[in-house]
Amino acid sequence: TGQHAFACRIDASPTVAPARPGTNGSGSRHLLVAFNPEAQAQAFTLPPGQWQLALDSAGELAPGWQPAAGQALSVPERALVVLRDTAKG
């Protein structure tokens, strides 16, 4: 059996644009997207940052879940998980 799960970190532009009208300006400079098409959960090592759950397609992680420093991310089977970095700067 091959392993097809993957994760990638998406970095925003190095220049911060002003908040658009009608938004609160609370966007994130970094996102982590983890995709697991496998039939069992897959563990991912998180890069440095203050990560917070933005989306869990399986609905298994608590809304707003934040991993402890050094904690691995366990992506449920056949799921997409998106984390956002809440660190300032």
Side-chain angles (χ1 to χ4, degrees):
T1 62
Q3 193 169 39
H4 300 95
F6 71 90
C8 67
R9 180 177 142 165
I10 301 171
D11 295 326
S13 170
T15 57
V16 178
R20 294 188 317 255
T23 68
N24 64 7
S26 65
S28 179
R29 294 191 42 88
H30 310 290
L31 295 176
L32 183 76
V33 179
F35 175 66
N36 178 19
E38 303 294 334
Q40 64 277 347
Q42 296 291 321
F44 291 86
T45 301
L46 296 174
Q50 294 175 343
W51 298 103
Q52 181 179 33
L53 181 67
L55 173 99
D56 170 17
S57 68
E60 292 187 18
L61 299 171
W65 172 80
Q66 291 182 295
Q71 180 179 354
L73 168 65
S74 180
V75 177
E77 64 275 2
R78 297 183 177 91
L80 175 75
V81 171
V82 178
L83 302 179
R84 65 184 186 95
D85 189 355
T86 60
K88 302 293 182 205

